Every structure is written in structure tokens, then in C-alpha cells.
Amino acid sequence: MKHTDIIEIFENSAFIDTDVTVCGWVRTSRDSKNMAFIELNDGTSFKHLQIVIDKAEMTDIAEFMRLGTSLKVIGTVVKSAVAVDSVEINAKSIEILGACPLEYPLQKKRHTLEYLRTIPHLRVRTNTFNAVFRVRSVVSNAVHEYFQSRRFVYVHTPLITASDCEGAGEMFKVTTIGYSNDYKSEEDYNADDFFGKRAALSVSGQLEGEVAAMALGKIYTFGPSFRAEKSNTPRHVAEFWHVEPEVAFAELPDIIEIAEGLIKYIINAVLEKCPTELKFFDQHFEKGLIDKLTSVVNNDFAVMTYTEAIEHLLNADVKFQYPVEWGCDLMTEHERYISEEVCKKPVFLTNYPKEIKSFYMKQNDDGKTVAATDLLVPGVGEIIGCSEREADLEKLLDAMQKRGMTTEEYEHYIALRRFGSVPHSGFGLGLERMIMYVTGVQNIRDVILYPRTVGSIY
Ligand code: 4AD
Ligand code: MG
């Protein structure tokens, strides 16, 4: 259908005094004695386009006015009568593309985010989700720009896998057959299944990413990861989008530099390309958001060791729900205290105790810690998990053995340490948590089209 995108009409003054065809959904409408007004949105712009109807020239307008109705409008672009620097359309003809009854759930009143989660097919038509998905798209593009312009190779790692990268037993099984008592053992059952062995959805593309980096040098993956974590929190979904670079010859400080550069690049892109959306989030979701983001890009991130963080937590004048001691895994309350109260900005926590981290992380010379870092940010907590990888064959095998892991599914991964092993590092950035940080939206369910969480799949 030949028509002009609404964003073009806002951005190009050459349309003024010309006739155009626009399409969209009615977002609000208002009727007065002689005139009627429709706010139309076609998704190309956060801002709605006002359609002005002269009731002397158009009768039977009631159906046009219903919220949710889709319209094709022909009319003249004119300077707005009230808003400076804006335009509106004086309608000449209006055609209904799809009528919308009064039961349409998105009537004028503001709905709660909780209610909107129950109508994922319609919530996208609200201002909040319009802005969220526009930002999400810009962030995704910025990820590619950042890596491509630095000569990283984009690789696609498998989503179905036989190995467990994080070793936390949080994998969704992939199977085409049900278990029955006819099988004598689990091996017997797995052997009969599609792949002839146990398979699952990948929690991370890292292991295969390392394979690629040991040939292509600098790579990144960007795709979905799956976690069957039963934690019902505002920060966890079972299916999330994962950005994972892997860099040959990089040690921990090198990868930290790349990670900080990525976060700043993404924020700059959003500041530049989504000013209207950010203004909206600043007003409705996080006061001071734009100042926060501007300050983040203009300042260095903090770097602090895990051991120093434990000291801060032990000396804190706060009662934490979970007790703290050296060796404990940090909970969200601890991570937020460190980034929000101690550092007041993003902080890389480094050198965690090896017992609480994954098998593949480089063991430090102290025998107690690994060269790993999490990036913690105010308001969200951990958004990046990062480490230098164990490049030494013996140490890697030892770490796997201590965790009771079998080496069978990791043969290729282990072999990389035999054939020209090099120091290398990588990280995983959760896309949804990044979106939460740049928008101030507090629940991860509200930054993804269809959130998958324990006990809920729409
Ligand atoms: O810290 P994680 O578990 O690290 C890894 O998976 C590494 N293999 C990454 C790597 O080094 N290549 O996960 C990385 C990030 C987290 O910091 C978080 O942002 C996100 O992935 N994440 C989740 N996001 C939403 N829901 C979940 N259930 C998530 N689990 C991890
Ligand atoms: Mg982590």
C-alpha cells in the first residue's frame, strides 16, 4: 500500500503543504463540536501524528475514533496549530483498514505493567513498549557496529548442545521421545533419542566461541541462551539474548577494556538515536536517567577485587538478608550495595574465589582465586560475566575433575589447550539487562517481546 512513514513527515519539512497518505492505529481521539482529532501511530515514530477532521466535511466519523482501529488517511500536511515545531494532517479522506470494537483492552486509562504482561500481543502498542523496542533495536545494532568496526568476526554458535558451559545444571533438555520403563538405564534412553546422546539448549555460546577465536582471533556471538533457572526474579528469564565476544591473546585487563568500551558505545548510540524515548523513560521510569547515562560514558568504571568488596560488605552499616564472608557467592543485595553505595557507578569486581566460579576460568597464582570479573551496575546488578580462560591443559583438567565433570562432552574444548594454546578471554553481556540499565525499566519481563519465566509461557 503506497503511503508515507509518519517519521518522515515529522522529520522532513518538504512535506508541509503537500498531500500525503499515512497509515496507522488510533492511539487516542478527541471529539469537539466542529472538529475531531485522532492521534495516529504507525510504529515508525514514538510521537503520534495528529489527524484533524473538520466535521462539516466528514460525517459518520464515530468508527474512526475508536482506539485500536487501523486507518488509511489522505490529507494535507500543515504546521501544528498548537505545538511548536510540529506538523499535523488536515484529513481529506479516511478509510478503515481494520475496525476495532470497544472491548479493545487498551482504552485511555494507564494500565499497570503487570496487566500489560497478560496481553503481550497488544502491549507493544503502548508508549512504553514502543520506546522499549525501539531502544532494544538500536542497542542490538550498536553491538554489531562496535564489534564489526573493530574487525571482530560474527559467528553463530549452536543452540542445541551436548555440553554444559556453566555447569550449573540449569539446562533445558532437548528430546523427541518420552522416558518409559522399557529403558534399562538413562544411557539406554539417551541412546534411543534423536542425537543418540543427551542434548540440551545451550546456556552460552562460549565453548564454541573459544573454538572460533582460536582460529579467527576476535569473534563475537549474539543470540539466544536458555536457562532453566527456577529463580522468579525481576532479572531472570529462561530465554535471553546473549552477546559473547571471545578474544585470542587478551588477558583480563584487555577484556575489561573491551567490555567497558562496548557498554559506553551502546549508551552513546542510545543517547544519540533515541532522545525522545530516553526523555520518556527519564520522566516515567527513572528520574535523572539521561544524566546518569551521560555521566557513565564520560567517566571510567571502577575496578575492585572481590576481597575488597567483601571488606566493604562486612563493614557496611546495613543488615543484609544473606550473610557475608570471604568465599560466599554475592547476592543481588550485595552487588547492588557495592555498585550503588560504595562505587556509585559501574564496577568490575575481579578475582573471585575459584570455588564459586566456572571450571574454565584462569586460575590465579594465589591458588585461591580466578581471573574473572562481573560488571555490576547500579539499579540492576550483574550485567556482564567475564573471565580470562584457563589456557593450561593440566590446570583445566584439574578444575574439571574437582567439579566431578566428565571430559567426554568437552573433548574439542580440551584439545584447544593441546594445539597451540594461547591466553584468551571473553565475556557475556545479557542484552535484556543492558536494556533495563539504559531505560530504567525494572522488570526484565518488560524489555522482551515474550518473556519466558518459570511457570509462565504466553
Ligand atoms: O555470567 P554468565 O552466566 O556467564 C556466561 O554465561 C559466560 N559463559 C559468558 C562468557 O564469558 N562468554 O552470563 C552472562 C550474562 C549475565 O551477566 C547476565 O547479564 C546474563 O548473561 N544472564 C541472564 N540474563 C537474563 N536472564 C537470565 N536467566 C540470565 N542468566 C545470565
Ligand atoms: Mg554470572
Side-chain angles (χ1 to χ4, degrees):
M1 198 181 302
K2 274 247 176 297
H3 71 287
T4 305
D5 287 344
I6 286 176
I7 188 76
E8 299 287 334
I9 294 171
F10 282 133
E11 288 189 347
N12 188 346
S13 58
F15 282 109
I16 292 173
D17 297 331
T18 68
D19 282 2
V20 294
T21 304
V22 290
C23 298
W25 293 267
V26 176
R27 290 289 285 272
T28 64
S29 65
R30 182 161 58 86
D31 202 355
S32 66
K33 195 153 166 257
N34 302 320
M35 310 290 278
F37 304 90
I38 291 171
E39 297 277 324
L40 201 68
N41 191 295
D42 68 355
T44 62
S45 135
F46 179 75
K47 200 165 105 176
H48 313 321
L49 178 63
Q50 174 151 282
I51 311 293
V52 183
I53 301 170
D54 183 347
K55 286 165 77 173
E57 294 184 5
M58 229 181 262
T59 47
D60 291 338
I61 63 163
E63 267 193 82
F64 303 160
M65 308 293 282
R66 291 200 182 150
L67 307 196
T69 304
S70 49
L71 301 176
K72 176 178 164 185
V73 178
I74 300 174
T76 314
V77 182
V78 294
K79 280 198 171 152
S80 165
V82 280
V84 220
D85 268 354
S86 197
V87 292
E88 57 196 29
I89 305 261
N90 285 338
K92 288 185 170 170
S93 78
I94 298 182
E95 181 192 330
I96 291 183
L97 298 174
C100 193
L102 291 171
E103 302 91 85
Y104 181 58
L106 298 177
Q107 297 300 326
K108 264 176 197 159
K109 74 179 175 72
R110 260 190 93 158
H111 299 284
T112 63
L113 291 168
E114 287 77 8
Y115 169 68
L116 291 173
R117 275 175 222 145
T118 67
I119 49 166
H121 58 309
L122 295 175
R123 69 175 183 169
V124 201
R125 297 191 196 176
T126 62
N127 289 340
T128 297
F129 290 91
N130 181 310
V132 162
F133 291 111
R134 206 171 289 291
V135 168
R136 188 174 167 119
S137 170
V138 166
V139 169
S140 304
N141 183 53
V143 167
H144 285 296
E145 274 178 8
Y146 178 79
F147 288 120
Q148 294 280 335
S149 65
R150 285 160 182 74
R151 300 177 192 275
F152 282 63
V153 178
Y154 177 34
V155 301
H156 302 106
T157 50
L159 299 186
I160 301 177
T161 171
S163 58
D164 181 357
C165 176
E166 293 307 311
E170 289 165 344
M171 301 184 87
F172 286 100
K173 198 167 188 273
V174 174
T175 176
T176 53
I177 53 170
Y179 186 79
S180 83
N181 288 332
D182 298 343
Y183 297 111
K184 289 198 188 65
S185 64
E186 205 178 328
E187 284 77 55
D188 215 22
Y189 160 59
N190 287 332
D192 206 25
D193 210 343
F194 190 88
F195 297 105
K197 62 197 240 186
R198 202 179 65 96
L201 293 179
S202 182
V203 298
S204 159
Q206 177 194 327
L207 301 186
E208 296 84 358
E210 283 188 51
V211 168
M214 289 304 104
L216 298 163
K218 303 195 281 186
I219 66 97
Y220 70 106
T221 72
F222 183 6
S225 282
F226 305 89
R227 306 234 170 147
E229 277 171 300
K230 291 231 164 120
S231 32
N232 211 341
T233 79
R235 264 169 284 278
H236 290 88
V237 272
E239 177 180 311
F240 68 97
W241 280 69
H242 210 171
V243 179
E244 295 183 280
E246 194 67 37
V247 187
F249 319 113
E251 294 169 320
L252 194 65
D254 306 311
I255 198 74
I256 286 181
E257 218 174 288
I258 294 170
E260 182 166 339
L262 173 66
I263 301 298
K264 288 180 172 172
Y265 190 92
I266 291 173
I267 294 177
N268 269 323
V270 177
L271 283 167
E272 185 194 331
K273 295 181 183 164
C274 304
T276 321
E277 288 80 1
L278 285 185
K279 220 168 121 189
F280 170 81
F281 288 122
D282 200 313
Q283 257 164 24
H284 299 286
F285 283 83
E286 182 179 335
K287 296 267 172 295
L289 175 74
I290 296 174
D291 286 345
K292 171 188 92 176
L293 295 176
T294 311
S295 155
V296 169
V297 292
N298 289 326
N299 290 288
D300 289 341
F301 293 4
V303 182
M304 181 189 285
T305 64
Y306 167 90
T307 305
E308 285 170 305
I310 292 292
E311 275 163 29
H312 281 292
L313 291 167
L314 288 173
N315 296 330
D317 211 4
V318 183
K319 183 111 188 71
F320 294 115
Q321 193 188 339
Y322 295 91
V324 176
E325 59 174 352
W326 198 95
C328 75
D329 207 353
L330 297 184
M331 305 310 249
T332 299
E333 56 173 350
H334 308 135
E335 296 179 338
R336 291 188 58 175
Y337 177 81
I338 296 294
S339 63
E340 288 165 23
E341 306 300 329
V342 182
C343 302
K344 299 188 167 44
K345 61 179 178 175
V347 50
F348 286 101
L349 269 203
T350 64
N351 300 324
Y352 284 80
K354 63 179 180 189
E355 283 76 17
I356 59 168
K357 288 289 184 185
S358 300
F359 73 97
Y360 53 74
M361 296 178 174
K362 184 187 156 70
Q363 296 160 42
N364 287 329
D365 291 339
D366 63 10
K368 292 195 296 195
T369 61
V370 283
T373 183
D374 281 357
L375 178 63
L376 314 178
V377 298
V380 183
E382 174 193 340
I383 63 169
I384 281 180
C386 172
S387 67
E388 183 170 342
R389 317 309 190 185
E390 185 53 79
D392 181 277
L393 178 64
E394 295 311 319
K395 286 187 180 166
L396 178 67
L397 291 174
D398 180 58
M400 293 179 77
Q401 200 208 351
K402 287 214 169 87
R403 286 168 176 77
M405 296 168 69
T406 53
T407 50
E408 198 189 327
E409 288 84 22
Y410 301 87
E411 267 166 21
H412 293 173
Y413 186 76
I414 294 166
L416 296 179
R417 277 71 186 164
R418 276 197 201 102
F419 306 134
S421 190
V422 299
H424 61 288
S425 305
F427 65 84
L429 166 69
L431 184 77
E432 287 75 20
R433 294 198 188 164
M434 184 67 205
I435 312 285
M436 290 168 75
Y437 186 52
V438 293
T439 58
V441 171
Q442 283 182 0
N443 196 308
I444 195 163
R445 292 166 180 76
D446 301 324
V447 298
I448 187 166
L449 200 55
Y450 276 86
R452 270 69 177 97
T453 50
V454 55
S456 158
I457 184 159
Y458 274 96

